[in-house]
Amino acid sequence: MACSKMSVRLAASLRCPFTLPVRFRSTVAKEQAAEDGAQGKPCPLSTGGDHMERSESPLHKPCPAVTMTFDNTQEAYKSKATWELLRSLMVFWLCSVEPLVDRNQQILQLSRKLLGQNLFEAMMKMTFYGQFVAGEDQESIKPLVRRNRAFGVGSILDYGVEEDLTQEEAEKKEIESKLIYSVSPFQGPVQREKKYQVQPGFGDRRGGVISARTYFYADEAKCDHHMETFLKCIEATGGSSEDGFSAIKLTALGRPQFLLQFSEVLVKWRRFFHQLAADQGQAGLATVQIQLEVEKLKESLANLGIATKDEIHNWFTGENLGLSGTMDLLDWNSLIDSRTKLSKLLLVPNLQSGQVEALLSRFTEEEDLQMKRMLQRMDVLAKKAVETGVRLMIDAEQSYFQPAISRLTLEMQRKFNKDNPIIFNTYQCYLKEAYDNVTSDVELSRREGWHFGAKLVRGAYMHQERSRAAEVGYECPINPTYEKTNEMYHRCLDYVLEEIRHNRKANVMVASHNEDTVKFTLKRMNELGLCSEERKVYFGQLLGMCDQISFPLGQAGYPVYKYVPYGPVNEVLPYLSRRALENRSVMKGAARERELLWSEFKRRLLTGNLFYAPRF
């Protein structure tokens, strides 16, 4: 079988659960644009500076300016009893003591031995577990979820259980999960890039990761178990909160080998597009601004020996592409799905060697089946989310998995976001390519008419990504400085906010503990006339952190959510261990939250409210 079979099977598999082929460009939208152009109508898809031209929404209306401050401790902590303030102060102080944090796992293990299981669990519930985890199961989390809702804060439920593996066990599982079952013949040599190869020294994907859960592949039965866990989490969200979110990770639903291989295909194909753009003098332009001249493109492809001129001509006309004389990235990406049955079209130039090489290798039948199962699990979860009125948040992961994760998430959005924003993708703004990813996906959603949903984060894998890139020897995907990441975050956020102003089908969650970022968002919302009651702009923070931001926002009418983990005490210890590490890094840079907590405690003491308890 030819190497192209993998992509053909991918498209067929996606049609199975999603009923849609994997295509980035809507032929209907393309034909409509061409028709409008022929009639002299303004084309809404043409570029104009940093943003696309977009028609004004008839729903646009001015909103009253809102000035928010985050130093009113009475308002920020009125959902907390005084003993909870003291717990927060103690936990945050402990998180700032480096020797304790560095040895937190050993200390927890020793405490469990000395105290016994019952006393240990009671101690954890009074301290770290009580601060950062909502409860052990779906029933026990309901009081906290309801209390937060009463004070204006919603929930993103996340079952925070992880396997408690040693580093050696984690590395063994990861390496075994990425080994191909058998060596299959393929057309032409496939040069796997270092970034997408198995790296034994980085088999434990938990290393250098602070706040993200990690799943390791064992077998298909384990993936089914993870899916059942996510289904229960979705049900818990629907049963305990209104307009709630539930978070899932795609590495929990299938073999990482598929995500690795598919990510490499997508990256190589996109890189080839940019090489052709450079040949046409468009190097350095934002991705959404690149328009390849079709005739020059055909000539370049023929000169590279990828196909004959007749084949290339049929390639484009068969898809109704290039009718306007130009082709953008969305058109280009559609070709990899529908035209890859021609094996020659899977030969792309290697920028380092200058040789034309195969883009894909063949999947074994077993791997092909595993891929289909992953897609089917995604479909089951999305349907459950629709059924229960829950939004589904697809978490971001390592950069070598992320292109495939984003692509599969995009397919879920195309199916399930037609009427409402059900599926949200996560964009990590510490990635150099974050802006291109956001703008391309926004443009596709606009053309095809579905609701764009995004969660913007800075990123959880920075140290691991930088170490792996340096040691393995490929370009680091992370922005060089924190300041550059901030710039990227605000640039992506501003683009989506502008899109919301012109197209009320866009939605964004500002998932940040950075007070300046929250203030930037509020300022831009005021300037753009985006009202909080429209519920197009959400805010998100972790449970147990940044209450001085979350609760004032919620009480002012903004949709704000806490990322709420839950699970049995012993099984969420890996999560709690990393939360201690995260708070150490936070507390090093700023003591603002501790100062505010202490100020509120003193205020209650001096005003005779030391035994204050919230009423709701």
Side-chain angles (χ1 to χ4, degrees):
M1 296 174 69
C3 63
S4 58
K5 290 293 186 181
M6 188 274 258
S7 190
V8 174
R9 289 178 178 177
L10 173 66
S13 299
L14 285 170
R15 290 189 187 99
C16 174
F18 294 112
T19 72
L20 288 173
V22 188
R23 291 177 46 79
F24 268 83
R25 185 65 184 266
S26 167
T27 303
V28 174
K30 179 72 175 182
E31 291 173 347
Q32 183 63 51
E35 181 181 339
D36 288 348
Q39 296 177 3
K41 298 179 182 178
C43 178
L45 307 180
S46 60
T47 59
D50 209 25
H51 296 289
M52 299 302 206
E53 292 179 12
R54 288 161 280 193
S55 58
E56 285 284 351
S57 167
L59 296 176
H60 174 67
K61 59 181 180 180
C63 293
V66 177
T67 302
M68 292 284 300
T69 60
F70 300 108
D71 52 9
N72 185 333
T73 61
Q74 185 174 359
E75 288 298 311
Y77 300 116
K78 71 179 183 180
S79 67
K80 305 293 183 186
T82 301
W83 71 266
E84 291 176 297
L85 299 183
L86 293 174
R87 180 185 65 190
S88 297
L89 281 166
M90 179 186 65
V91 169
F92 290 154
W93 176 77
L94 290 173
C95 288
S96 68
V97 180
E98 290 203 31
L100 292 178
V101 176
D102 290 336
R103 296 172 177 82
N104 75 83
Q105 291 185 3
Q106 296 93 318
I107 293 172
L108 289 174
Q109 291 172 0
L110 179 62
S111 299
R112 182 159 46 189
K113 289 181 181 179
L114 293 176
L115 297 174
Q117 187 61 38
N118 291 336
L119 282 177
F120 174 75
E121 289 190 8
M123 181 194 73
M124 293 301 297
K125 289 179 179 179
M126 291 174 60
T127 55
F128 291 93
Y129 181 94
Q131 181 71 18
F132 300 120
V133 183
E136 297 197 69
D137 52 38
Q138 298 178 31
E139 285 302 314
S140 63
I141 67 175
K142 288 182 178 179
L144 183 142
V145 170
R146 287 171 182 157
R147 178 172 64 166
N148 284 354
R149 169 53 65 188
F151 289 93
V153 176
S155 298
I156 305 172
L157 294 193
D158 178 28
Y159 194 62
V161 171
E162 292 183 6
E163 291 182 89
D164 191 11
L165 302 174
T166 66
Q167 181 176 341
E168 293 74 18
E169 290 170 335
E171 288 183 352
K172 182 180 179 181
K173 279 197 171 187
E174 184 71 359
I175 292 172
E176 288 177 350
S177 74
K178 293 178 182 176
L179 293 178
I180 300 177
Y181 284 107
S182 61
V183 178
S184 303
F186 53 82
Q187 292 185 353
V190 176
Q191 301 296 326
R192 297 298 307 276
E193 296 188 8
K194 292 180 178 178
K195 183 176 181 179
Y196 302 99
Q197 294 174 359
V198 178
Q199 303 297 338
F202 294 90
D204 187 353
R205 288 185 279 114
R206 299 169 301 180
V209 178
I210 295 175
S211 60
R213 287 170 298 117
T214 302
Y215 292 92
F216 295 95
Y217 181 86
D219 50 38
E220 292 300 296
K222 189 68 172 180
C223 293
D224 286 336
H225 174 73
H226 290 154
M227 182 188 72
E228 292 298 327
T229 299
F230 290 151
L231 285 172
K232 291 178 181 177
C233 191
I234 293 170
E235 290 173 350
T237 302
S240 60
S241 63
E242 298 177 3
D243 291 333
F245 287 86
S246 188
I248 68 170
K249 277 185 177 289
L250 294 198
T251 49
L253 300 178
R255 194 182 183 98
Q257 171 66 21
F258 163 59
L259 295 174
L260 265 183
Q261 226 169 325
F262 190 32
S263 289
E264 184 175 19
V265 168
L266 295 171
V267 168
K268 282 186 176 181
W269 192 249
R270 184 166 180 161
R271 189 183 300 154
F272 187 21
F273 171 81
H274 282 284
Q275 179 188 345
L276 295 168
D279 292 342
Q280 293 193 16
Q282 299 188 56
L285 291 180
T287 297
V288 291
Q289 293 180 301
I290 296 175
Q291 298 285 329
L292 300 182
E293 295 182 33
V294 172
E295 292 306 315
K296 289 184 179 179
L297 175 59
K298 291 179 180 178
E299 184 178 340
S300 296
L301 294 174
N303 290 339
L304 288 169
I306 290 178
T308 67
K309 290 185 177 180
D310 287 341
E311 286 176 326
I312 294 169
H313 178 74
N314 293 333
W315 182 14
F316 287 94
T317 57
E319 290 300 308
N320 293 319
L321 299 174
L323 299 180
S324 63
T326 61
M327 170 175 280
D328 61 16
L329 179 65
L330 304 184
D331 296 318
W332 178 253
N333 282 333
S334 73
L335 294 172
I336 194 173
D337 308 307
S338 55
R339 295 281 109 186
T340 51
K341 56 182 175 288
L342 302 175
S343 61
K344 288 184 179 180
L345 298 179
L346 293 177
L347 302 176
V348 298
N350 183 305
L351 300 183
Q352 283 72 38
S353 67
Q355 301 296 315
V356 174
E357 63 183 32
L359 181 64
L360 305 171
S361 62
R362 173 192 166 191
F363 267 20
T364 65
E365 290 186 7
E366 178 61 24
E367 289 169 330
D368 194 31
L369 182 58
Q370 290 173 354
M371 174 189 69
K372 292 176 181 177
R373 287 172 178 165
M374 173 187 274
L375 301 174
Q376 289 165 354
R377 292 180 188 115
M378 294 169 62
D379 191 61
V380 168
L381 293 172
K383 287 177 178 176
K384 174 60 73 172
V386 172
E387 176 187 325
T388 54
V390 172
R391 273 78 57 85
L392 206 56
M393 194 79 74
I394 313 299
D395 283 344
E397 305 194 45
Q398 285 87 348
S399 63
Y400 42 87
F401 293 137
Q402 195 54 44
I405 291 171
S406 292
R407 180 64 176 271
L408 297 175
T409 303
L410 186 66
E411 287 307 311
M412 295 173 72
Q413 290 179 312
R414 298 175 80 176
K415 178 177 181 181
F416 294 102
N417 285 13
K418 291 179 181 178
D419 300 317
N420 295 293
I422 300 295
I423 309 298
F424 278 62
N425 196 8
T426 302
Y427 298 87
Q428 301 173 103
C429 294
Y430 66 9
L431 293 176
K432 296 174 182 176
E433 60 184 17
Y435 183 76
D436 282 346
N437 293 337
V438 169
T439 54
S440 295
D441 291 354
V442 166
E443 167 66 359
L444 180 63
S445 71
R446 188 187 314 134
R447 291 182 182 184
E448 297 187 340
W450 43 269
H451 292 254
F452 176 78
K455 179 177 75 170
L456 297 183
V457 301
R458 281 173 171 78
Y461 305 94
M462 180 177 67
H463 299 297
Q464 183 188 102
E465 293 274 13
R466 284 178 174 164
S467 297
R468 189 176 189 270
E471 187 168 329
V472 176
Y474 58 86
E475 181 183 353
C476 181
I478 306 298
N479 287 316
T481 65
Y482 183 75
E483 289 72 25
K484 287 293 183 182
T485 293
N486 278 345
E487 290 176 14
M488 179 67 78
Y489 194 105
H490 288 183
R491 187 184 184 200
C492 293
L493 174 58
D494 196 52
Y495 186 90
V496 180
L497 293 176
E498 286 274 5
E499 176 69 13
I500 295 172
R501 180 194 181 195
H502 296 282
N503 176 11
R504 255 40 183 196
K505 287 188 173 183
N507 307 263
V508 65
M509 173 170 282
V510 183
S512 175
H513 293 169
N514 188 303
E515 193 171 306
D516 290 337
T517 293
V518 173
K519 289 179 178 178
F520 170 84
T521 307
L522 297 176
K523 176 176 177 290
R524 291 297 290 140
M525 289 179 68
N526 287 337
E527 293 170 351
L528 297 172
L530 304 181
C531 302
S532 59
E533 59 265 25
E534 289 186 71
R535 304 186 72 81
K536 295 294 181 182
V537 183
Y538 308 87
F539 296 88
Q541 289 87 36
L542 293 167
L543 180 69
M545 297 178 65
C546 288
D547 287 346
Q548 78 276 10
I549 291 177
S550 305
F551 286 92
L553 281 173
Q555 290 156 28
Y558 290 91
V560 57
Y561 291 81
K562 286 291 192 182
Y563 212 92
V564 178
Y566 69 97
V569 174
N570 286 327
E571 296 181 48
V572 298
L573 287 181
Y575 175 90
L576 291 172
S577 176
R578 285 199 308 277
R579 185 61 64 244
L581 290 168
E582 179 171 85
N583 276 279
R584 175 185 63 178
S585 65
V586 170
M587 293 307 163
K588 271 185 175 181
R592 175 169 170 76
E593 191 162 0
R594 281 189 294 170
E595 291 173 359
L596 292 173
L597 286 164
W598 182 239
S599 295
E600 175 59 12
F601 175 76
K602 289 190 294 184
R603 187 196 68 79
R604 293 184 185 183
L605 178 64
L606 295 174
T607 58
N609 290 304
L610 191 57
F611 298 101
Y612 169 83
R615 295 180 181 179
F616 58 95

